[in-house]
Amino acid sequence: MDLRRPVSKSMRRLPRSFFERPTLEVARDLLGRRLVRLIRGHRISGRIIEVEAYIGEDDLASHASVGRTARNAAMYGPPGHIYVYMLYGRHCCLNIVTEPEGFPAAILIRALEPEEGLSWIARRRRGIRIQDWLRGPGRVCAGLGIHRALNGHDLCAPDSQLWVEWGKPIPNDQVASSPRIRVRGDLLARTRPWRFYIRDHPLVSR
DNA sequence: GGATCGATCGGCT
DNA sequence: GCCGATCGATCCG
């Protein structure tokens, strides 16, 4: 047996083809998967429980709505790469790029249920309640040590220190959707039900 | 070069 | 619930 390869499917990494599909399909399908960060050989991970989709230049809530710029270039790149940006000068937000290269779309990771590396997260999230450790896009990045320098990084590269595993998918009857949080302005942008989360999960933000 | 704004968070009321 | 923080990207002149 090859010990370098995880035994169970749950711990295998999602392939690039997973992310190359229509964004809404990927967003819904990411629920229940495991986001893993490797830091000095330690696994820090959580189940994905809340996401938001941002799709194409026509989506006025998307950073790509202004066309391609230096900031949002990663959204136009290959699927399976990440788009990390800074918000309000203090928080980083993690997005996973979807769809074939050239079409700007990504999924914002809004909340995780902590699974592994709890003591490591606890050190960095001092004074914060456990249920808030990875709830909210800024906290996901703070908790997993994801920073702006990782913008454009490939989750599917063999030597990546950040990736997504199959985990345990969520049945349809436990998936809920809603408009995206804090999106204002344009009617379509603020009403499209492009936020997906695990129904009745106690750790979902808001 | 300067002004404005933001896919938020944490502390305080 | 409300408010201030804090800084890069973008837009305007």
Side-chain angles (χ1 to χ4, degrees), chain A residues 3-22:
Chain A
L3 291 177
R4 288 168 307 180
R5 193 149 302 187
V7 180
S8 67
K9 172 166 182 181
S10 161
M11 293 187 63
R12 290 202 203 114
R13 301 185 185 196
L14 297 187
R16 195 174 313 285
S17 56
F18 183 95
F19 303 105
E20 196 156 17
R21 297 176 292 154

Side-chain angles (χ1 to χ4, degrees), chain A residues 10-12 14 33-34 36 43 163-167:
Chain A
S10 161
M11 293 187 63
R12 290 202 203 114
L14 297 187
R33 310 303 184 182
R34 186 184 304 111
V36 184
R43 284 172 60 102
W163 64 86
V164 186
E165 297 179 352
W166 288 97

Side-chain angles (χ1 to χ4, degrees), chain A residues 45-113:
Chain A
S45 73
R47 276 173 92 209
I48 298 173
I49 59 176
E50 182 187 0
V51 299
E52 281 177 0
Y54 291 85
I55 309 173
E57 295 182 345
D58 295 336
D59 175 6
L60 295 186
S62 171
H63 289 171
S65 64
V66 295
R68 187 180 186 133
T69 65
R71 180 201 197 191
N72 63 25
M75 292 187 76
Y76 290 77
H81 288 232
I82 61 176
Y83 169 44
V84 180
Y85 67 91
M86 182 175 285
L87 189 60
Y88 293 100
R90 12 175 66 198
H91 312 291
C92 283
C93 296
L94 168 69
N95 296 256
I96 301 179
V97 177
T98 55
E99 315 243 9
E101 183 167 4
F103 183 82
I107 296 165
L108 172 68
I109 306 299
R110 287 194 59 91
L112 306 177
E113 174 190 294

Side-chain angles (χ1 to χ4, degrees), chain A residues 134-176:
Chain A
L134 303 177
R135 182 170 80 170
R139 300 195 271 226
V140 166
C141 287
L144 296 194
I146 295 167
H147 42 86
R148 269 166 35 86
L150 289 174
N151 183 39
H153 183 82
D154 183 8
L155 294 181
C156 304
D159 62 343
S160 176
Q161 310 288 291
L162 179 69
W163 64 86
V164 186
E165 297 179 352
W166 288 97
K168 191 176 155 205
I170 304 301
N172 280 329
D173 63 1
Q174 288 175 35
V175 174

Side-chain angles (χ1 to χ4, degrees), chain A residues 111-152:
Chain A
L112 306 177
E113 174 190 294
E115 282 194 326
E116 302 166 273
L118 303 188
S119 60
W120 192 90
I121 303 175
R123 268 200 303 280
R124 319 186 101 233
R125 308 262 67 203
R126 256 181 235 289
I128 298 173
R129 304 195 308 260
I130 294 177
Q131 61 263 38
D132 289 337
W133 278 357
L134 303 177
R135 182 170 80 170
R139 300 195 271 226
V140 166
C141 287
L144 296 194
I146 295 167
H147 42 86
R148 269 166 35 86
L150 289 174
N151 183 39

